[in-house]
Amino acid sequence: MASSRFAPLQRLVISVAVLASFVTFLDGTVVTVALPAISRELGGGITTQQWVVDAYLITLSALILLAGSLSDAYGRVLVMRVGLIAFGVASIAVAAAPDPLVLIIARAAQGAAGALLVPSSLALITATMRSDVQARAIGVWTAFTTGAQLVGPLLGGLFVDFLSWRFVFLINVLPIGVTLLLLARLKLNERPSGVRVDWVSGILCAVGLGAVVFALIEQPNLGWGSPAIWLPGVVGAALFALFLVRQQRSAAPLMPLSLFRVRDFAWGNLATLFVYAALSLNGFVIGVYLQQGAGLSATAAGLASLPMTILMILLSSRAGSWAGRFGPRIFMTVGPLVMAAGAVLLLLVAEDFDYWWQVLPAMIVMGLGLSLTVAPLTSAILGAIDESRSGIASAVNNAVSRVAGLLVVAMLSTIIGGTLDLGGFHNATWVTAALLVLGGVVSWIGIRRNPAEEEPAPAADAADR
């Protein structure tokens, strides 16, 4: 899986990191083409579809910060092993769900287990490799994990059409088993560090985000005037604000705000917010509209994004290497702008649907832009932070990307105008393009890191690097 340019231990670390993250990213997107089938069997319409996606993202986003601290405190390998086992159990529960409520609860449990996997897996790379080797490793990790996100709809479509949507959630069993075997071979000198874990902050973050998302999803059904909407929204926002205040005052914060004094980390995460919000919105509407609006089968809808997957696998590692040599700024600027151009091409989609002329060109252009963006973005953000804080830095960045997807899916009804018809699809396309342009502009303004000319750390911030 890893390139021969890496040492044996590095190849093993990359393989473990890729597989552990693979199941999390795969399950975040494999569900998109299964949503119409789930809705047909269990009921609930677009609201159920939103909750199936966001229940997973709420716990994944909110607990990933806590998981980053656990990774630094108790070791990446232990946290990853617990996460893998829990994810497998939760996946079986999702597949067996008899009604929407059980399905949504099981998806939330799945997201909580996934939160243990992403920061610990990427932290393995940042803790064992530095400089251009780390950049190349992150490129490999990015190619496969982003590929998992993109190939997910295809796998989901095949299972929906030829078996059942329930089998979509059992795809994880094989990679989880292989990863556990590889973990047994990975001998790292990891000991509990004694770092204090702030459980109260984890609860504040999870409940705060969950309440806000509840308000956003249910608002089209009940209206902002309903106490069942504005009360959770206000309480959730207050709890999340309290979480941020606690991070500023805590001796062991889940999200050290001092990290954001590092320029590339702060601006890179802002770019992440816009880019991943766009990717989540695009993935959702493509997976659902091509079935419900254009009349494609689940498999055909999943195949729609295959060109992006192929381009990511072919180009992402190379883009990571280029970013290690020339700095990430140009790639993080040009990549999102290219993706935005691809998103605009989706405006060609019409009532008289033709995939080859209306969707394929957009997928190719977006795949090229995505390949240029993701590895340099990840490398810029994590390369700016010292190895001793790699777990929490990875967790913060992944939390930002998941929260971006969480919020944009929660706001879906507002974005599309209530119905995912052709007009709603075009509305989502414009919003996707706008978010990507913002991601490119933010990167150009904020990113400064260059391997040939590093910024000296200010004395006050030296401890944060």
Side-chain angles (χ1 to χ4, degrees), residues 272-303:
T272 296
L273 185 73
F274 291 126
V275 169
Y276 278 85
L279 290 174
S280 297
L281 177 60
N282 183 72
F284 190 104
V285 298
I286 287 285
V288 175
Y289 177 78
L290 291 188
Q291 293 181 73
Q292 295 184 342
L296 298 186
S297 67
T299 303
L303 280 168

Side-chain angles (χ1 to χ4, degrees), residues 370-392:
L370 188 63
S371 300
L372 292 176
T373 303
V374 180
L377 175 65
T378 306
S379 181
I381 292 170
L382 298 187
I385 303 300
D386 185 77
E387 177 273 331
S388 64
R389 307 182 84 181
S390 60
I392 191 61

Side-chain angles (χ1 to χ4, degrees), residues 161-184:
D161 285 341
F162 296 103
L163 292 170
S164 164
W165 64 265
R166 297 180 184 277
F167 286 90
V168 166
F169 299 99
L170 299 178
I171 296 174
N172 309 308
V173 174
L174 180 59
I176 285 175
V178 172
T179 310
L180 287 170
L181 290 175
L182 291 177
L183 269 179

Side-chain angles (χ1 to χ4, degrees), residues 108-150:
Q110 204 178 30
L116 298 175
L117 298 178
V118 178
S120 56
S121 63
L122 191 51
L124 279 177
I125 292 177
T126 57
T128 55
M129 304 172 216
R130 300 301 286 177
S131 190
D132 63 326
V133 176
Q134 182 192 96
R136 285 189 281 116
I138 289 175
V140 173
W141 180 88
T142 300
F144 281 95
T145 54
T146 306
Q149 296 179 78
L150 298 177

Side-chain angles (χ1 to χ4, degrees), residues 269-356:
N269 275 291
L270 184 57
T272 296
L273 185 73
F274 291 126
V275 169
Y276 278 85
L279 290 174
S280 297
L281 177 60
N282 183 72
F284 190 104
V285 298
I286 287 285
V288 175
Y289 177 78
L290 291 188
Q291 293 181 73
Q292 295 184 342
L296 298 186
S297 67
T299 303
L303 280 168
S305 61
L306 187 60
M308 294 178 68
T309 306
I310 294 171
L311 288 168
M312 276 296 302
I313 293 174
L314 292 177
L315 301 178
S316 189
S317 180
R318 186 176 296 274
S321 298
W322 289 340
R325 291 175 57 194
F326 304 113
R329 184 190 187 199
I330 186 66
F331 301 100
M332 290 172 60
T333 301
V334 173
L337 296 180
V338 172
M339 279 193 285
V344 170
L345 287 175
L346 287 172
L347 293 173
L348 294 172
V349 172
E351 294 287 354
D352 186 14
F353 182 78
D354 186 315
Y355 170 80
W356 301 104

Side-chain angles (χ1 to χ4, degrees), residues 217-462:
I217 290 179
E218 297 295 337
Q219 178 272 327
N221 299 323
L222 302 176
W224 286 115
S226 171
I229 295 299
W230 64 259
L231 187 58
V234 170
V235 171
L239 289 175
F240 193 74
L242 186 59
F243 162 76
L244 294 176
V245 170
R246 185 177 175 87
Q247 301 319 289
Q248 199 167 23
R249 298 178 179 177
S250 175
L254 289 186
M255 186 174 72
L257 299 184
S258 60
L259 288 174
F260 290 92
R261 293 203 296 267
V262 181
R263 180 178 181 124
D264 277 12
F265 186 84
W267 285 91
N269 275 291
L270 184 57
T272 296
L273 185 73
F274 291 126
V275 169
Y276 278 85
L279 290 174
S280 297
L281 177 60
N282 183 72
F284 190 104
V285 298
I286 287 285
V288 175
Y289 177 78
L290 291 188
Q291 293 181 73
Q292 295 184 342
L296 298 186
S297 67
T299 303
L303 280 168
S305 61
L306 187 60
M308 294 178 68
T309 306
I310 294 171
L311 288 168
M312 276 296 302
I313 293 174
L314 292 177
L315 301 178
S316 189
S317 180
R318 186 176 296 274
S321 298
W322 289 340
R325 291 175 57 194
F326 304 113
R329 184 190 187 199
I330 186 66
F331 301 100
M332 290 172 60
T333 301
V334 173
L337 296 180
V338 172
M339 279 193 285
V344 170
L345 287 175
L346 287 172
L347 293 173
L348 294 172
V349 172
E351 294 287 354
D352 186 14
F353 182 78
D354 186 315
Y355 170 80
W356 301 104
W357 296 106
Q358 296 173 4
V359 177
L360 180 60
M363 294 296 100
I364 292 173
V365 174
M366 290 189 75
L368 289 171
L370 188 63
S371 300
L372 292 176
T373 303
V374 180
L377 175 65
T378 306
S379 181
I381 292 170
L382 298 187
I385 303 300
D386 185 77
E387 177 273 331
S388 64
R389 307 182 84 181
S390 60
I392 191 61
S394 170
V396 170
N397 180 236
N398 277 283
V400 169
S401 64
R402 301 314 138 207
V403 167
L406 173 69
L407 294 178
V408 79
V409 171
M411 296 172 64
L412 181 68
S413 291
T414 301
I415 291 171
I416 65 177
T419 305
L420 191 49
D421 53 13
L422 182 59
F425 180 82
H426 286 167
N427 289 341
T429 294
W430 280 117
V431 173
T432 299
L435 289 168
L436 290 167
V437 169
L438 286 171
V441 170
V442 162
S443 298
W444 180 257
I445 293 172
I447 299 299
R448 289 291 182 270
R449 181 173 171 268
N450 190 315
E453 191 176 341
E454 287 283 354
E455 288 184 36
D461 296 344

Side-chain angles (χ1 to χ4, degrees), residues 11-30:
R11 289 199 295 271
L12 181 58
V13 166
I14 294 170
S15 298
V16 168
V18 164
L19 285 169
S21 298
F22 186 90
V23 295
T24 305
F25 288 118
L26 180 67
D27 237 65
T29 57
V30 72

